[in-house]
Amino acid sequence: MFDAVKEVLKYRNQFLDLLIGMPNYERYVEHMKEQHPDEPIQTREQFFREAQDARYNAKGGKISRCC
């Protein structure tokens, strides 16, 4: 029962991340460990700061969205 609840919450969190355009940190960590084991892994804070900068400051500090 608890495994089913964990699975539902995992997919809900992935959906919400995609909905707001925020990449998944756990998926990033898995990718780095598998594909780039020699490279350092960013902290959660660094990861989200970079993701926000990429999304909102992509045009020299100007907000790159319509509203």
Side-chain angles (χ1 to χ4, degrees):
M1 175 71 177
F2 290 113
D3 289 336
V5 171
K6 283 183 184 179
E7 194 71 15
V8 168
L9 291 176
K10 177 180 134 183
Y11 286 115
R12 181 196 66 119
N13 289 341
Q14 287 178 357
F15 171 75
L16 292 174
D17 289 344
L18 290 171
L19 185 66
I20 62 170
M22 187 59 61
N24 185 288
Y25 180 72
E26 286 75 19
R27 195 172 318 131
Y28 158 76
V29 171
E30 283 180 28
H31 170 79
M32 290 300 289
K33 286 179 179 178
E34 291 174 6
Q35 303 296 321
H36 311 282
D38 298 334
E39 295 182 25
I41 296 175
Q42 296 177 340
T43 64
R44 185 178 294 271
E45 183 179 326
Q46 292 168 329
F47 176 78
F48 284 113
R49 185 178 303 125
E50 185 176 294
Q52 287 179 335
D53 286 346
R55 181 171 182 172
Y56 295 114
N57 295 327
K59 298 181 180 178
K62 296 180 182 175
I63 302 293
S64 61
R65 55 190 174 106
C66 64
C67 46

